[in-house]
């Protein structure tokens, strides 16, 4: 049976208009690899068994755990309830499991909140001085939806690119990530590609990569 840990919420911060950062207690001996996730539920009556998977966005060496979560108030489900929490409330976390497995330098492509599994990976690479050779391309509807834009730009410089599908803004692309987009901005299809986002987004981008010459084994998606 999977272990469970009841942990207190230490801090909650607003990251974007719809994304919050939750800093929580770290159980003794608990560890993870950047890109891994755990199943989370809220320790309140009726919500203890309603689990949702979230990726850790801190470093393993931090004395706390952190999740960066998009709050969907219109769904009336777990993330809406997470959005109502205050410091001192409790979450239930379980054992870690593999999500995005970093295999080496390449291009990370994220749709919306799909960037969250990449946060700890990039933070670890930056911390270790091994971030060179990696790029990040994010697709969002509007500029206000971009998660941790300043931090990614600090870590990656011009290797961080954004495209906005519902806003024409100077300095940003204004198109969807499709085969034409991929062919325009990527010229080496032998490197690793890490894709995360809604399932239709993942399927579409993966298909475009393979059609343009990437071998299936270099395309990494969530396990």
């Amino acid at each position: 049976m999977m272990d469970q840990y009841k942990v207190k919420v230490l801090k909650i911060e607003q990251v974007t208009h719809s994304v919050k950062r939750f800093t929580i207690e770290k159980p003794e001996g608990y560890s993870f690899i950047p890109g891994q996730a755990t199943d989370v539920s809220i320790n309140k009556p009726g919500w203890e068994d309603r689990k949702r998977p979230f990726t850790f966005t801190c470093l393993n060496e931090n004395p706390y755990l952190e999740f960066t979560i998009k709050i969907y108030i219109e769904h009336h489900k777990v993330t809406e309830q997470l959005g109502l929490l205050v410091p001192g409330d409790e979450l239930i976390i379980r054992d870690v499991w593999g999500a995005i497995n970093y295999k080496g330098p390449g291009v990370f492509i994220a749709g919306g909140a799909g960037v969250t599994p990449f946060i700890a990976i990039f933070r670890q690479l930056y911390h270790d001085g091994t971030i060179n050779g990696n790029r990040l391309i994010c697709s969002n509807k509007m500029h206000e939806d971009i998660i941790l834009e300043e931090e990614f730009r600090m870590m990656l410089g011009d290797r961080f690119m954004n495209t906005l599908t519902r806003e024409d803004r100077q300095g940003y692309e204004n198109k969807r990530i499709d085969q034409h987009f991929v062919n325009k901005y990527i010229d080496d299809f032998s490197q690793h590609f890490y894709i995360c986002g809604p399932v239709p987004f993942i399927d579409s981008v993966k298909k475009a990569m393979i059609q343009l010459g990437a071998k299936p084994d270099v395309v990494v998606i969530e396990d």
Side-chain angles (χ1 to χ4, degrees), residues 33-211:
I33 298 170
Q36 286 190 312
T38 188
D39 290 321
V40 178
S41 58
I42 301 167
N43 191 27
K44 289 187 177 183
W47 293 94
E48 302 97 324
D49 297 320
R50 300 183 67 171
K51 299 179 289 186
R52 288 273 285 127
F54 295 111
T55 311
F56 303 103
T57 55
C58 55
L59 300 183
N60 183 55
E61 65 186 48
N62 293 141
Y64 53 83
L65 297 175
E66 177 190 290
F67 301 107
T68 303
I69 299 173
K70 183 168 183 178
I71 307 300
Y72 295 92
I73 58 175
E74 68 275 14
H75 291 180
H76 305 301
K77 294 182 180 179
V78 173
T79 64
E80 180 190 37
Q81 293 300 311
L82 286 170
L84 300 176
L85 296 182
V86 297
D89 285 337
E90 288 187 341
L91 299 178
I92 302 171
I93 62 173
R94 281 87 179 170
D95 293 337
V96 304
W97 46 272
I100 292 287
N101 182 24
Y102 181 70
K103 297 183 177 181
V107 181
F108 290 72
I109 303 174
V115 75
T116 53
F118 301 157
I119 294 172
I121 293 174
F122 277 112
R123 286 177 170 172
Q124 189 68 59
L125 292 172
Y126 184 76
H127 177 269
D128 295 342
T130 56
I131 200 168
N132 287 343
N134 289 287
R135 293 173 60 196
L136 173 60
I137 302 173
C138 290
S139 175
N140 286 282
K141 293 176 182 176
M142 307 285 286
H143 178 261
E144 65 178 7
D145 299 321
I146 299 175
I147 298 172
L148 300 181
E149 180 177 15
E150 290 185 7
E151 182 177 355
F152 280 127
R153 203 168 298 286
M154 180 273 295
M155 292 191 290
L156 290 161
D158 60 7
R159 290 172 288 127
F160 175 45
M161 178 182 180
N162 288 279
T163 184
L164 307 174
T165 59
R166 296 187 185 177
E167 180 181 358
D168 189 358
R169 187 182 182 96
Q170 186 174 359
Y172 299 80
E173 283 292 349
N174 178 219
K175 58 189 71 174
R176 295 186 179 277
I177 299 179
D178 54 16
Q179 187 171 339
H180 176 75
F181 183 100
V182 170
N183 193 42
K184 179 178 179 180
Y185 291 105
I186 298 173
D187 53 16
D188 177 8
F189 291 92
S190 64
Q191 61 188 315
H192 290 293
F193 295 98
Y194 303 87
I195 308 169
C196 192
V199 172
F201 176 87
I202 294 174
D203 292 344
S204 175
V205 175
K206 182 178 180 180
K207 181 179 179 181
M209 292 295 179
I210 292 173
Q211 288 177 335

